[in-house]
Amino acid sequence: MASPRNSLPAARVSDESHRVTTFELFFDLVFVFAFTRVTGFMTHEHSFVGVLQGMIILTLLWWSWASFSWLSNQTHVDEGLMRLGLSVVMVAMFLASLAIPEAFHDLEGGLSGPLVLALAYVVVRVLHLTLYAYAAGDDEPLRRQIAKTAVGVVLGSSLIVTGALVGGPAQTWFWLAGVGVDAAITYLTSQHGNWRVHSAAHWTERYGLIVILALGESIVAIGVGASQEPVSTPILVGAVFGVALSVCLWWLHFDVTAIAAEHRFAALRGAERASAAVDAYTYLHLPLVAGIVLSALGVEDVLAHVYETGPFGALGAVALFGGAALYLLGSAGFWRRIGGGWNRLRLGGAAVLSALIPAAAQIPPLAALVLVSAAAAVLVALETLMYRGTRLAVRSGR
């Protein structure tokens, strides 16, 4: 008698020609909505504890998305049972997104917001493991690797659900421990592991697109902040510099770094490629996305107080300047891991932005936005001038 595993049609394993599909882009849109909810959550909380909680939620979302980036590289997720499974995941993730505003402070009436988010997260992670085991087929080393990952998922998810049930201040620490345990166990079991990255082009394009979508969310944040006030000169000026900051962040990652990294990544094979995928993409792209979301919070805070002439305040300054600095640190770490060495300009830029936080907290909100946008533009100009030859070589494919 055929085993249940063999009674199902085998999932189609990808190869080097595999590319991102429209279904995967559709799948990612649910996460874009979730990113906007995280920014909204932190805006509403408007406290450093709220920012920490928002980053925890963002990490849960990132861990959910990144796990499916591996699955979609292993197999064609727009076909058969995979398409059905990811459709269910989209529904679960959308329900989790709806609960984000109540993630740590449940409103009276209705269901428990923290528990809805926690259970939806568990459903997403369990579905991922189930679908990945099915996609692995007869690849026993990969199936063993998935089983090791399940340990982190079980322990981390248990802490997340426990935190939702306990509630109160303890919930924050339970959830922080949950994402930390999951991430740590996954990383440790991935060292010298048996993951597969069949298509370098698919992999790098997928991660490039999620950064683009996060930048798109930052543009939405500008619109949300501007929509709260009548159109005026300060609003227009704030919108201009807010968009300029997003353009600079795009430029710093995609003008050269992402393209050069794709060439380096494509040259890797086997375990070396999988190791770079874990470090440079699954882990070191999280600071990029977190930096974008934090800077979007800062821009939205500026536009919400655009007419004020008093000090911007520590929270807004940390979000705006610290978010951009975190993005630069993530980009520098990514380039270092992919084999390009440390980008001293970006490390220096992150240090300058961090040093400017106390000053930015004491100036008006709009002036702070102009200052961070100008600093980012200067960094873009310096890199463009210093790496002109490299830029031409990379973009021509040499």
Side-chain angles (χ1 to χ4, degrees), residues 289-327:
V289 174
I292 292 169
V293 172
L294 279 174
S295 63
L297 170 65
V299 173
E300 190 169 337
D301 198 22
V302 167
L303 292 174
H305 304 90
V306 72
Y307 298 109
E308 297 181 8
T309 57
F312 186 25
L315 180 62
V318 168
L320 188 60
F321 285 75
L326 179 60
Y327 182 89

Side-chain angles (χ1 to χ4, degrees), residues 332-359:
F334 165 70
W335 183 240
R336 171 68 176 81
R337 177 58 184 86
I338 209 68
W342 287 111
N343 186 317
R344 291 183 174 83
L345 269 178
R346 294 189 189 176
L347 292 175
V352 169
L353 288 172
S354 299
L356 286 173
I357 290 175

Side-chain angles (χ1 to χ4, degrees), residues 31 46 52 65 83 86 110 117 153 167 213 223 239 245 248 254 264 273 288 295-296 304 348 358 369 379:
F31 288 87
H46 205 264
L52 172 62
W65 180 87
R83 182 193 292 182
L86 263 70
L117 198 158
V153 173
L213 291 173
L245 177 60
C248 288
F254 288 99
R264 290 175 178 270
R273 178 187 285 186
L288 292 175
S295 63
L369 178 57
L379 183 58

Side-chain angles (χ1 to χ4, degrees), residues 91-176:
V91 173
M93 186 50 60
F94 188 76
L95 296 180
S97 302
L98 293 178
I100 286 175
E102 299 181 60
F104 289 89
H105 303 288
D106 187 39
L107 299 178
E108 292 185 8
L111 302 173
S112 167
L115 191 57
V116 168
L117 198 158
L119 292 179
Y121 173 75
V122 172
V123 168
V124 169
R125 298 309 305 277
V126 170
L127 280 172
H128 168 258
L129 291 173
T130 303
L131 291 170
Y132 214 152
Y134 163 63
D138 295 325
D139 189 339
E140 290 300 333
L142 178 56
R143 293 178 69 85
R144 287 195 296 271
Q145 184 67 57
I146 296 167
K148 293 177 184 178
T149 301
V151 175
V153 173
V154 170
L155 293 177
S157 297
S158 298
L159 288 168
I160 297 296
V161 173
T162 301
L165 293 171
V166 170
Q171 181 190 340
T172 300
W173 305 111
F174 270 103
W175 283 27
L176 185 61

Side-chain angles (χ1 to χ4, degrees), residues 233-286:
T233 298
I235 286 290
L236 295 178
V237 171
V240 167
F241 281 96
V243 173
L245 177 60
S246 295
V247 170
C248 288
L249 296 181
W250 174 90
W251 198 307
L252 289 166
H253 185 68
F254 288 99
D255 185 50
V256 174
T257 302
I259 300 173
E262 181 178 349
H263 294 330
R264 290 175 178 270
F265 187 75
L268 302 176
R269 292 292 183 274
E272 192 177 10
R273 178 187 285 186
S275 177
V278 170
D279 297 343
Y281 288 91
T282 301
Y283 283 82
L284 287 174
H285 267 57
L286 176 56

